[in-house]
Amino acid sequence: MPFGNTHNNFKLNYKVEEEYPDLSKHNNHMAKVLTKELYGKLRDKQTPNGFTLDDVIQTGVDNPGHPFIMTVGCVAGDEESYEVFKDLLDPIISDRHNGYKATDKHKTDLNFENLKGGDDLDPAYVLSSRVRTGRSIKGFTLPPHSSRGERRGIEKLSVEALTSLDGEFKGKYYPLKSMTDAEQEQLINDHFLFDKPVSPLLTCAGMARDWPDGRGIWHNDSKTFLVWVNEEDHLRVISMQQGGNMREVFRRFCVGLQKIEEIFKKHNHGFMWNEHLGYILTCPSNLGTGLRGGVHVKLPKLSTHPKFDEILTRLRLQKRGTGGVDTASVGGVFDISNADRLGSSEVAQVQLVVDGVKLMVEMEKKLEKGEAIDSMIPAQK
Amino acid sequence: MLHYVILNLYLCSAEYPDLRKHNNCMASHLTPAIYAKLCDKATPNGYTLDQAIQTGVDNPGHPFIKTVGMVAGDEESYEVFADLLNPVIKERHNGYDPCTMKHPTDLDSSKIHSGNFDPNYVLSSRVRTGRSIRGLSLPPACTRAERREVERVVVEALAGLKDDLAGRYFSLTQMTDEEQQQLIDDHFLFDKPVSPLLTCAGMARDWPDARGIWHNNDKTFLIWINEEDHTRVISMEKGGNMKRVFERFCKGLKEVERLIQERGWEFMWSEKLGYILTCPSNLGTGLRAGVHVKLPRLSKDPRLNTILNNLRLQKRGTGGVDTAAVGGVFDISNLDRLGLSEVQLVQTVVDGVNYLIECEKRLEKGQDIKVPPPLKYFK
């Protein structure tokens, strides 16, 4: 319902220092940037949809952060948040994305044919390959701010688009609130089912409101292309398969995304994108490509090598346990993916994964033979 | 006019929550018509219906326990959203109708009789309530500045308490490790809420900013600041002297009220609803008076729940709400909050606990017990 943001205006009756959050024990990107002066400058602003500065930063105020991991500490409530609150978000984006400037342009390249190789990662080491991204639908607000009506509108459009796909993309939608027990069991066994967010980083930003209304999972019949609707973003799109054929995974990813985008455009609801920030998503960390391309790979020897982390940094890759972010590796198997999102294209990022993983598998093989790998360690990419 | 109503219903229906699997008071009383009427209204501070019901939408409820499913963001919520809150209040408080009834407030502790229990049975006695500062939004809606103002107003007032009420304040943001340990050992420290009933209503925002604990030097009078309400006020002691606990409770409350009034503030209170608190379940007196009492034989008697119900009492485990009894020791307290005064409710607890102790003594001697007739409510 169109509604004036009385609550924010009411706060203006109080002085800046009275409303300014206590960030003295905080360690996240927002806390590093938001001075009292900046708070004073932005606090009377709101986006056309009524998203305010306090809405942007609430998650960062409520979650002081981790001593080792630097969380972002803020979210966007709509496409316009990145404009209206640019004085806060641009420095955060720069800090998070390797010095990306307010004047920089982001390159989008979803032409899978531009990827070199990627179809020959050794399956004895590379157990599975996966590429994910997110997409936001223009004309709607983002999960921290969306109303039930909007979320349902997003779901309806998404289901229309997805169920019209055919060929390798023919599939089915499972709404969270009406799936049968048998369907739920199957989705759990396939490792497809997503749950209500429990992380306070997400719940404090309001993303779990009205759960499970408007949320669901779509996947193709061959279970290699999966879309989450209304979880942390409007859409999370995932292409995956067992083994090391990242090229094929990326092909399916690009083709599927482009087919879906065409259908949304026909309804005058294309994806949120601009030439500065690339694809617009809820969390500033996912701007640009929003892409995480990765593999589960066995590197028991390399992972215990003293230069392992250094090698990853130089290859512009990151490691996670096989349970995803914040999990530990099991049995020397790691989730290795690109570290960057903004400032390089999809093809470039997946290329880094393909080339980097190939190199690391070679290193692993050398170490197995008791040979040194020092000469193989690359320069910083 | 009719066209506007139909259009409004149509637009609002896209937003209407799906409450088919819900079992809480809000879900029992919200209809599309009420939603359409209220969905674009707001209190003067900007609090909306969607915000008030969010906790009930996010928490469908428990099959056995019927939760309230909505909160107030400020005093005006109870007026602006009366079309929904009144039926919720009526259901929760035994048919109390805010449109036609008045709530009696009585903090004259001298009226309590027989309020000193047999210490062989009653291990501890406690009375708690809440108070809100008029003019400031409630925990679901308050801004950081308002929350800090609540803290400032209350802490200043508490600094004026004297004699057996004199004490000190421990701010959650500034307490030392030793202070924290002491408060934990005293069972005084409250933690950031984890219950989704509270977090979904926005009450944990900005934690631990402007939250704190005040207690008197004797550790018999304790105040929580900016937890689920502006203030929660607790009087307690070991043993069975409920009358003295209630005396201190009333004296402390009146003193704090006088001290804030000196500075131009007052508590939120109305003739219809009594003391105004965040959760509609705590309106009226907001009072829970209770004891930890040993009733090992009675605890095994199948008539216990009926006896309690007729005495208008509820049992909990000694860990508080949602815990189980250990070793036959129960937390026994009043069921009701609204429509009866503080004195009436405490007397109900006193009479009821005395009756339960009599039952236990009879069972010890091998005698039978009687289920008492149900107490009449305010009608």
Side-chain angles (χ1 to χ4, degrees):
Chain A
M1 298 283 113
F3 192 75
N5 203 331
T6 323
H7 190 246
N8 196 52
N9 295 339
F10 165 75
K11 275 181 223 172
L12 300 176
N13 294 328
Y14 290 93
K15 301 201 204 86
V16 175
E17 46 270 20
E18 289 169 330
E19 285 292 353
Y20 180 65
D22 179 355
L23 301 172
S24 53
K25 295 193 178 121
H26 286 59
N27 182 43
N28 55 50
H29 283 293
M30 180 278 290
K32 281 172 71 177
V33 173
L34 187 69
T35 59
K36 189 150 61 102
E37 290 66 41
L38 186 56
Y39 184 81
K41 185 178 174 195
L42 295 177
R43 70 178 185 137
D44 62 347
K45 311 238 176 307
Q46 61 192 58
T47 69
N49 299 314
F51 204 65
T52 67
L53 176 66
D54 278 332
D55 292 332
V56 172
I57 67 173
Q58 190 66 55
T59 180
V61 176
D62 289 345
N63 298 291
H66 198 276
F68 310 142
I69 302 165
M70 180 75 104
T71 46
V72 176
C74 61
V75 291
D78 48 24
E79 191 166 5
E80 295 84 349
S81 296
Y82 287 103
E83 243 329 285
V84 174
F85 302 111
K86 63 195 314 337
D87 288 341
L88 171 66
L89 292 170
D90 280 350
I92 290 173
I93 288 167
S94 179
D95 216 359
R96 180 62 175 220
H97 296 281
N98 311 302
Y100 195 78
K101 297 192 290 295
T103 50
D104 283 337
K105 301 243 189 296
H106 170 81
K107 181 163 186 255
T108 293
D109 183 357
L110 283 160
N111 189 346
F112 65 91
E113 278 163 4
N114 290 339
L115 184 71
K116 298 190 190 54
D119 54 355
D120 60 350
L121 298 174
D122 190 336
Y125 294 84
V126 179
L127 307 177
S128 61
S129 308
R130 180 184 188 266
V131 180
R132 71 87 159 146
T133 189
R135 289 290 185 264
S136 308
I137 302 168
K138 252 181 122 62
F140 292 95
T141 61
L142 297 172
H145 199 44
S146 50
S147 70
R148 282 181 293 272
E150 287 194 283
R151 214 183 286 113
R152 291 162 180 171
I154 292 160
E155 184 188 33
K156 184 160 181 282
L157 262 179
S158 303
V159 171
E160 254 183 58
L162 294 166
T163 52
S164 71
L165 298 174
D166 61 8
E168 62 175 322
F169 296 107
K170 187 165 175 313
K172 187 178 165 186
Y173 181 67
Y174 302 87
L176 248 57
K177 70 176 178 185
S178 55
M179 66 174 62
T180 66
D181 286 345
E183 286 169 341
Q184 185 172 294
E185 194 56 40
Q186 187 59 55
L187 287 166
I188 291 173
N189 293 338
D190 291 328
H191 303 285
F192 284 174
L193 188 64
F194 65 88
D195 237 332
K196 182 168 175 173
V198 290
S199 165
L201 299 177
L202 301 183
T203 56
C204 293
M207 297 193 222
R209 285 172 301 125
D210 313 310
W211 202 275
D213 198 314
R215 276 86 169 190
I217 292 164
W218 179 95
H219 69 77
N220 66 352
D221 295 338
S222 44
K223 298 185 182 179
T224 55
F225 194 71
L226 164 70
V227 178
W228 290 351
V229 178
N230 284 319
E231 193 236 12
E232 186 183 334
D233 280 294
H234 288 170
L235 304 173
R236 282 289 178 98
V237 179
I238 303 151
S239 170
M240 63 222 219
Q241 65 194 53
Q242 299 296 309
N245 196 344
M246 180 61 94
R247 187 179 183 81
E248 172 60 13
V249 168
F250 189 54
R251 182 204 64 79
R252 190 184 314 114
F253 176 81
C254 295
V255 172
L257 268 175
Q258 278 158 344
K259 281 191 191 299
I260 297 169
E261 182 160 23
E262 263 163 48
I263 302 169
F264 275 103
K265 276 195 182 145
K266 277 208 200 100
H267 288 90
N268 293 317
H269 280 288
F271 294 146
M272 288 185 199
W273 178 94
N274 69 50
E275 61 172 8
H276 168 51
L277 295 177
Y279 288 102
I280 305 287
L281 292 177
T282 303
C283 183
S285 70
N286 281 321
L287 292 166
T289 62
L291 185 143
R292 193 170 92 83
V295 298
H296 283 187
V297 56
K298 283 196 287 207
L299 299 169
K301 290 190 161 40
L302 183 61
S303 60
T304 53
H305 191 284
K307 291 238 165 85
F308 182 50
D309 284 341
E310 172 70 21
I311 291 166
L312 286 171
T313 304
R314 292 190 186 193
L315 291 173
R316 308 207 63 78
L317 299 176
Q318 63 174 206
K319 70 178 196 270
R320 300 180 181 191
T322 50
V325 69
D326 294 336
T327 66
S329 113
V330 176
V333 180
F334 285 86
D335 175 316
I336 302 289
S337 63
N338 54 297
D340 306 320
R341 305 268 185 275
L342 177 64
S344 55
S345 73
E346 289 82 354
V347 166
Q349 289 168 9
V350 175
Q351 193 69 64
L352 283 171
V353 176
V354 158
D355 296 346
V357 169
K358 197 160 187 198
L359 177 63
M360 290 196 293
V361 169
E362 296 306 310
M363 288 177 167
E364 181 71 19
K365 288 174 174 172
K366 277 250 164 154
L367 290 171
E368 278 171 18
K369 289 189 238 155
E371 292 167 17
I373 56 164
D374 299 306
S375 59
M376 296 169 79
I377 294 175
Q380 177 68 57
K381 290 209 179 295
Chain B
M1 195 60 183
L2 183 62
H3 169 82
Y4 169 76
V5 168
I6 292 169
L7 185 67
N8 204 25
L9 267 168
Y10 172 72
L11 291 168
C12 294
S13 67
E15 293 292 345
Y16 191 72
D18 182 351
L19 302 172
R20 289 171 297 172
K21 293 191 179 129
H22 285 59
N23 181 40
N24 56 51
C25 296
M26 179 279 291
S28 294
H29 297 283
L30 184 66
T31 63
I34 293 177
Y35 186 80
K37 185 178 174 194
L38 298 179
C39 70
D40 58 352
K41 307 259 177 305
T43 67
N45 301 331
Y47 197 67
T48 65
L49 178 72
D50 278 333
Q51 287 173 299
I53 67 172
Q54 190 68 59
T55 181
V57 175
D58 288 346
N59 298 291
H62 197 277
F64 310 143
I65 303 166
K66 196 164 189 186
T67 45
V68 175
M70 66 184 299
V71 293
D74 47 28
E75 186 163 9
E76 295 83 355
S77 296
Y78 286 103
E79 276 309 310
V80 175
F81 307 119
D83 285 332
L84 179 58
L85 276 161
N86 286 351
V88 165
I89 289 168
K90 206 166 175 189
E91 178 183 341
R92 182 60 178 222
H93 295 282
N94 307 296
Y96 184 88
D97 187 351
C99 297
T100 56
M101 294 162 121
K102 292 206 205 316
H103 168 80
T105 291
D106 186 354
L107 285 160
D108 181 356
S109 56
S110 67
K111 293 178 182 163
I112 301 294
H113 60 82
S114 318
N116 202 345
F117 303 119
D118 186 337
N120 291 315
Y121 296 87
V122 174
L123 307 176
S124 62
S125 307
R126 180 185 189 267
V127 182
R128 71 87 159 150
T129 187
R131 291 287 185 266
S132 310
I133 309 294
R134 175 161 279 159
L136 296 168
S137 306
L138 297 170
C142 63
T143 73
R144 279 182 295 273
E146 288 188 289
R147 205 185 290 110
R148 291 164 181 172
E149 177 122 67
V150 168
E151 184 188 37
R152 192 186 55 75
V153 167
V154 175
V155 170
E156 251 184 51
L158 294 171
L161 291 175
K162 296 182 173 22
D163 306 320
D164 64 319
L165 292 177
R168 63 170 282 213
Y169 181 62
F170 302 86
S171 137
L172 247 59
T173 53
Q174 284 159 22
M175 66 174 63
T176 66
D177 288 343
E178 285 93 35
E179 287 168 345
Q180 185 172 294
Q181 193 54 55
Q182 187 60 55
L183 288 165
I184 291 172
D185 294 339
D186 291 327
H187 304 284
F188 283 174
L189 189 64
F190 64 88
D191 238 332
K192 182 168 174 173
V194 292
S195 165
L197 300 177
L198 301 183
T199 56
C200 292
M203 297 193 221
R205 286 172 303 126
D206 313 312
W207 202 275
D209 199 310
R211 273 83 168 191
I213 293 162
W214 181 97
H215 69 76
N216 67 349
N217 298 326
D218 295 339
K219 297 186 183 180
T220 53
F221 193 65
L222 164 69
I223 297 182
W224 291 350
I225 294 179
N226 284 319
E227 194 235 11
E228 185 183 335
D229 279 293
H230 285 174
T231 66
R232 282 291 178 94
V233 179
I234 303 151
S235 171
M236 62 223 218
E237 290 181 16
K238 292 256 180 274
N241 200 339
M242 177 61 91
K243 183 166 165 112
R244 189 165 65 198
V245 168
F246 188 53
E247 275 168 0
R248 187 180 312 110
F249 177 83
C250 295
K251 178 178 161 197
L253 276 172
K254 287 186 200 146
E255 262 304 284
V256 174
E257 185 162 26
R258 186 185 67 76
L259 288 161
I260 66 167
Q261 279 170 345
E262 268 177 9
R263 292 163 177 78
W265 296 90
E266 54 181 8
F267 291 142
M268 287 184 199
W269 179 93
S270 79
E271 248 188 351
K272 293 198 296 191
L273 297 176
Y275 288 101
I276 308 283
L277 294 176
T278 303
C279 183
S281 70
N282 281 322
L283 290 167
T285 61
L287 185 140
R288 192 170 93 84
V291 297
H292 283 186
V293 57
K294 280 193 291 202
L295 302 167
R297 283 166 189 74
L298 190 56
S299 70
K300 298 194 187 86
D301 195 299
R303 294 167 286 185
L304 176 60
N305 284 339
T306 309
I307 294 171
L308 288 173
N309 212 58
N310 289 0
L311 294 172
R312 303 231 40 90
L313 298 175
Q314 64 173 202
K315 73 181 196 285
R316 302 179 181 190
T318 51
V321 69
D322 295 334
T323 67
V326 175
V329 180
F330 288 93
D331 176 317
I332 301 287
S333 63
N334 53 296
L335 265 172
D336 307 315
R337 305 268 184 275
L338 174 64
L340 293 162
S341 75
E342 290 82 354
V343 164
Q344 286 171 308
L345 291 175
V346 172
Q347 192 62 57
T348 302
V349 173
V350 164
D351 296 343
V353 170
N354 279 329
Y355 190 90
L356 294 172
I357 293 172
E358 277 315 302
C359 287
E360 184 71 19
K361 286 176 173 170
R362 287 180 71 85
L363 290 173
E364 280 170 19
K365 293 186 222 148
Q367 293 166 350
D368 196 16
I369 59 173
K370 269 211 266 244
V371 173
L375 280 179
K376 279 193 171 42
Y377 198 57
F378 48 70
K379 288 181 249 193

